[in-house]
Amino acid sequence: MSAALEDDARAESIRMIRDSAAAVAPPGGDLSRIRGLRFKAPGHDPATFRQLGEMGWIGLRVPEAQGGAGLGLGEACALAEELGAALVPEPLIPAMLSASLLAAVGAGPLEALLAGTALPLVAWQERADTLEVPGTPDAPRKFLVNAAAATSFLLPVREADRIALYEQAGGALTLEPTQDGGTFGTLTPDLAGASRIAGDIGEALALALDEAALLTGAYLLGGMERALAMTLDYLKTRSQFGKIIGTFQALQHKAADVKMQIALTRASIEAAAATLDEGATGDLRRATVSRAKARAAESAMVVTRQCIQLHGGIGYTDDYDVGLYLRKAMVMANQYGSATLHRRRFMATSPEGEE
Amino acid sequence: MDALRIPAPTELDSLEEEHFRQVVRAFLHENYPEELRNPPKRLHWSENKPWYMTLADKGWLCPGWPKEHGGLGLSPAKQIILTEEYERYGVARTNDHGIVMLGPLVIKYGTEAQQQHFLPKILTGEHIWCQGYSEPGAGSDLAALRCEAVPDGDDYVVNGQKIWTTLATDANWIFLLVRTDKQAKKQEGISFLLVDMKTPGITVRPIINLELHDEFCEVFFDNVRVPKANLVGQLNKGWDMAKALLSFERIFLGSPRQSGYALSRLRILAERMGVFEDAEFQDRYTRLRLELEDLKALYGTFVAKLKRGESLGPDVSMLKIIQTELFQRITDTMLEIAGENAGLLEPMEGNRNLHPTGQFIQARPATIYGGSNEIQRNILSKNVLGLPG
Ligand SMILES: Cc1cc2nc3c(=O)[nH]c(=O)nc-3n(C[C@H](O)[C@H](O)[C@H](O)COP(=O)(O)OP(=O)(O)OC[C@H]3O[C@@H](n4cnc5c(N)ncnc54)[C@H](O)[C@@H]3O)c2cc1C
């Protein structure tokens, strides 16, 4: 295939993914399903999670030979963006992280996970704001998204100079509610009752975490786009002082600033997806992901805060949907690394002056 | 050390300022319930009533009212000292609309009969007031309000809707701006009316805010009969009266204490997250501190004006903008350093001092109410800088 044809085919593939997302992410922006699931365990609908499996999304990045779709990050980011626009609470990104890891080691409940009938969550995180995986055997594992729905936990555990992977069926779990209506779980590991399923997952997990960071940025991007769209609608219909408030230049300029943040985020995410799809590894991969995630985390907060302000009082109500985007940004902006963490990692992995 | 003697309420206005400050501190130490310090959310009447009643019993409830009406008769300067000390101690706001808004208005514009009827009932906690100004179509453009009062015999009949009415579910009386002349220029057809919320035809519906708290409400009026005697001031002069009241109130929205408190919580959080010593954080923290110090200095210049007995001009809008935006930047920084804790609904580790998300959400409406920051910037550019338009 010529390069141009290849580009066309790729664009078509991404377009198809976006269209298919409508099955779970209603394009009209009806968030009543999302509201109905808030603040009730587990924070999402297991039947819809199964649907993500049936759509082939959980295995989107998994090679075809292992039952996945074998698609690139371009497609995966497009999908995450669509789900972000609709605030889909089913934990696709954590599930894709698990799928990448299990596919890489060729073990564990991969098939059931891809089908959406199992949700093994990777319990990797020992503290806030990190991408490091120390694998301390008995350290509580934190910030497990909607963990009440997990069917098992995948525990990275340090053994000499390697990180092995254990699967733990249940376990002592405490849940804390999150702003978006879901929960963060903390798991106490119980290695005695767990089974060891792989011996060396360090590299595979690092790669999977990078992809999860990028997908989180894409999810946030979708939310920013929708929050701005809602805000523009409001600016075009609300009137005060006998004028549509969107005619006030102070507000026009704020909206224009929001648009620029979103444009930069999109450019950064799409460039990162393309760079990784072209096979970037090592420091280049890390720097590219960090650039995109730092931008997305910061923009998501700037954009959603500003959208509240542009609405006035109604933006400060729980009934009005724009606040749901702020809450989701609060929960996701720092997942898989805050802007500060990613800026620091970018500086460490992207030496200057080599162009 | 001997405990400071707390003088009778009638003596407070004559104390020297520093002495007065010490007295306020001692008073709070002695009387303020420890468990109500720095509450994470605005308290409902059921929660702040004990403190309200303590203030009422001690005669401290209404610092700004003249003594002959049961107040402390404090000068603006002393009222500011009192507020500063309350804020420093983390004293919760009560259902204070009667104390800070309605009372002063009735004292200034009400008839003797109205003063005798309404003021004592605020002082005893029998009447709890809420403020019914904003409407769905009249927020920043308050003068566009449409809720109307039509004369009928000895009554007005009120129809319409108010919104964003803070703590209306707690209140048994509401003060309203209502339209009484639809023909006049919009500011000139507005009157000020006092309404018993038990009157038939009133429906209150709480609105859940972003804190997931039922703090503000919608209030609906369906043929509500209000005695004409409840009109305050002259017919169609309600706008000027309400405006006169706002200018003194605006300095309180610029008080640096809110940001000061938030900054102290930011430090606790940064230490807990292990980033306080980071050079990058130190720079950001220092910027915020300097901004706070400069805000305090600017605030001080406005306080000094009040102490000299001068009134405040439109430039007081600067304080509100600077304070609220600093408050927001501090809480934005909290989320940025909190890692995944930035998504929690409740305080971290059950510790009220580690509640970045609560502070962050609380900071959001500060740039919306009390005249949004866009409106304050309009005031600055037109009324202070003299720009056209
Ligand atoms: C927490 C909270 C408590 C409140 N409590 C009370 C209460 O107890 N009683 C009461 O009566 N009201 C209360 N209010 C209402 C408050 O006064 C209004 O929300 C405020 O006046 C803004 O009006 P609005 O919400 O209709 O927004 P709008 O006026 O519709 O504003 C929407 C956006 O347009 C901007 N805008 C409007 N006009 C202009 C302009 N000319 N130039 C540039 N930008 C403009 C605003 O800044 C805002 O960003 C409360 C509000 C909040 C958030």
Side-chain angles (χ1 to χ4, degrees), chain A residues 224-299:
Chain A
M224 291 181 234
E225 289 277 20
R226 186 64 66 80
L228 173 60
M230 288 177 62
T231 304
L232 293 177
D233 279 348
Y234 195 73
L235 291 178
K236 288 174 194 164
T237 46
R238 169 77 173 163
S239 67
Q240 286 288 276
F241 303 99
K243 287 183 187 142
I244 298 291
I245 60 173
T247 61
F248 298 133
Q249 253 177 17
L251 304 190
Q252 292 176 346
H253 290 181
K254 286 201 161 133
D257 286 345
V258 163
K259 174 64 191 170
M260 288 187 278
Q261 281 303 317
I262 296 176
L264 286 168
T265 308
R266 176 174 299 288
S268 196
I269 299 262
E270 289 181 353
T275 306
L276 266 63
D277 280 341
E278 283 157 17
T281 56
D283 275 358
L284 177 58
R285 182 192 84 209
R286 283 188 278 273
T288 310
V289 167
S290 282
R291 193 186 104 202
K293 179 68 200 319
R295 167 69 63 183
E298 200 154 87
S299 294

Side-chain angles (χ1 to χ4, degrees), chain A residues 238 251 309-310 313, chain B residues 131 133-134 139-140 164 166 372 374 378:
Chain A
R238 169 77 173 163
L251 304 190
Q309 177 67 22
L310 289 167
Chain B
Q131 176 198 16
Y133 289 3
S134 304
S140 297
W164 318 128
T166 298
S372 76
E374 286 77 21
N378 287 347

Side-chain angles (χ1 to χ4, degrees), chain A residues 170-189:
Chain A
L173 194 63
T174 54
L175 299 177
E176 286 182 279
T178 47
Q179 289 285 342
D180 58 353
T183 54
F184 281 152
T186 302
L187 175 78
T188 310

